[in-house]
Amino acid sequence: MSRTVYLNGDYLPEAEAKVSIFDRGFLMADGVYEVTSVLGGKLIDFAGHAARLERSLSELDMRSPIGTGALLEVHRELVRLNDIDEGMIYLQITRGAPDDRDFVYPPEDTPPTIVLFTQNKPGLADSPAAKRGMKVISIPDERWGRRDIKTVQLLYPSMGKMMAKAAGKDDAWMVEDGAVTEGTSNNAYIVKDNTIITRNLGNEILHGITRAAVLRFAREAQMQVEERGFTIKEAQAADEAFITSASTFVMPVVEIDDATLGDGTPGPVARRLREIYLDESRKAAV
Ligand code: PMP
């Protein structure tokens, strides 16, 4: 069934939504994005995603084509028009389409391009991968230095996923100066002696919206949290590991570079955090 998508103020059948070949997103990866999950037809962590979007735009001196209230309405309308119960909404804003290719930013009055579309994923919350746990490999982090901005330059993360696939694994954790930064499309955590350890915030990682919520719930549940880098060796000796992202929530990791963690099944901390995150987010969904 053809989706209804949103492009620059219009709701259109997906085949009719067209963007210029001069669009800076297409030519220069000059754009930012967000992914918001939908559970029970409602948006998870919308306020966090909207706030990070504003920050990404402002870090790139890019104009926002839409306010947060109107953006929420577009998300809700797409959920309604496409009858989404569980799935995701992808949002992308680029610096628009000037009339030629040029490294220099186009004039201020060039309208940004804004696109949103839904991805229908029945069973998203009840994922078999969450019961099984993921296997990851480590790869060097070869991305640019402003990973705190959620840009659409996703070629290296894509290459990382292909490296994991070629190795028969599920995903890759990236390593820089000896420490894990994050997963290709998620934040990375280990658990040792009941302490949750995850990379501290900085320009080296994306400030995950799910990360912020999960760490808040962990602290509220009196769990110990340490925000610092860790090595692959330390991770392989951990009691458990997991990742977080808007589309996977909390997902256990059971193997890192061929080393099995614990008994090779999802650990109790990851399982509990997934449950708390899903319960609390459903309650707060808009
Ligand atoms: N790090 C990277 C590199 C990501 O691409 C993502 C997901 N887009 C995350 C972390 C997780 O962020 P969030 O919880 O906001 O989805």
Side-chain angles (χ1 to χ4, degrees):
M1 203 185 80
S2 163
R3 276 173 286 204
T4 299
V5 305
Y6 179 87
L7 172 63
N8 298 332
D10 296 321
Y11 294 92
L12 301 166
E14 60 186 38
E16 286 172 29
K18 301 267 167 58
V19 176
S20 161
I21 62 158
F22 296 114
D23 195 277
R24 302 255 321 169
F26 177 63
L27 294 178
M28 309 250 172
D30 188 358
V32 299
Y33 77 109
E34 283 294 332
V35 176
T36 304
S37 273
V38 178
L39 292 178
K42 289 185 165 181
L43 303 162
I44 301 298
D45 279 336
F46 176 80
H49 290 287
R52 185 173 61 192
L53 174 68
E54 286 303 316
R55 180 177 180 277
S56 294
L57 290 167
S58 129
E59 289 297 305
L60 295 174
D61 295 323
M62 214 183 274
R63 196 149 57 83
S64 174
I66 191 166
T68 299
L71 193 60
L72 175 59
E73 286 318 309
V74 174
H75 277 74
R76 283 180 165 157
E77 185 63 1
L78 284 178
V79 167
R80 192 184 69 77
L81 291 170
N82 294 286
D83 198 18
I84 305 293
D85 179 52
E86 290 198 354
M88 281 108 75
I89 301 191
Y90 177 85
L91 150 76
Q92 176 169 329
I93 297 175
T94 76
R95 207 181 299 276
D99 49 19
D100 200 358
R101 178 178 182 273
D102 191 347
F103 281 79
V104 171
Y105 292 174
E108 287 271 333
D109 59 358
T110 307
T113 304
I114 174 167
V115 173
L116 285 93
F117 58 81
T118 53
Q119 293 184 291
N120 191 23
K121 304 266 178 195
L124 183 67
D126 191 26
S127 130
K131 296 188 180 78
R132 191 174 61 238
M134 292 173 39
K135 299 178 177 179
V136 302
I137 57 167
S138 65
I139 59 171
D141 197 335
E142 295 183 350
R143 297 173 298 163
W144 80 322
R146 289 303 305 276
R147 303 159 194 160
D148 57 311
I149 309 173
K150 197 165 169 62
T151 73
V152 297
Q153 351 168 19
L154 296 176
L155 184 52
Y156 191 71
S158 251
M159 289 166 70
K161 298 241 190 229
M162 293 311 291
M163 289 182 234
K165 196 172 170 194
K169 310 296 179 189
D170 302 301
D171 206 349
W173 280 10
M174 296 177 283
V175 176
E176 185 171 61
D177 298 331
V180 172
T181 50
E182 57 189 335
T184 56
S185 61
N186 42 69
N187 291 113
Y189 307 71
I190 57 172
V191 181
K192 185 68 176 176
D193 299 330
N194 283 315
T195 297
I196 299 160
I197 303 160
T198 192
R199 177 89 180 204
N200 48 299
L201 296 180
N203 292 352
E204 302 76 25
I205 65 169
L206 185 74
H207 301 190
I209 301 307
T210 321
R211 177 190 184 279
V214 164
L215 293 187
R216 189 174 74 247
F217 297 140
R219 287 181 170 120
E220 282 169 9
Q222 314 299 329
M223 299 180 188
Q224 292 301 314
V225 176
E226 264 181 42
E227 294 181 62
R228 62 166 175 84
F230 55 84
T231 63
I232 287 293
K233 209 162 156 230
E234 186 181 4
Q236 288 176 315
D239 300 324
E240 42 177 304
F242 61 93
I243 59 159
T244 65
S245 76
S247 53
T248 60
F249 314 114
V250 177
M251 186 67 75
V253 168
V254 295
E255 188 192 286
I256 303 169
D257 280 346
D258 290 323
T260 301
L261 301 193
D263 64 2
T265 64
V269 173
R271 278 190 281 126
R272 179 147 174 245
L273 283 174
R274 181 178 175 88
E275 208 175 286
I276 299 177
Y277 178 77
L278 284 171
D279 282 355
E280 294 297 323
S281 313
R282 280 183 200 275
K283 276 190 235 159
V286 293

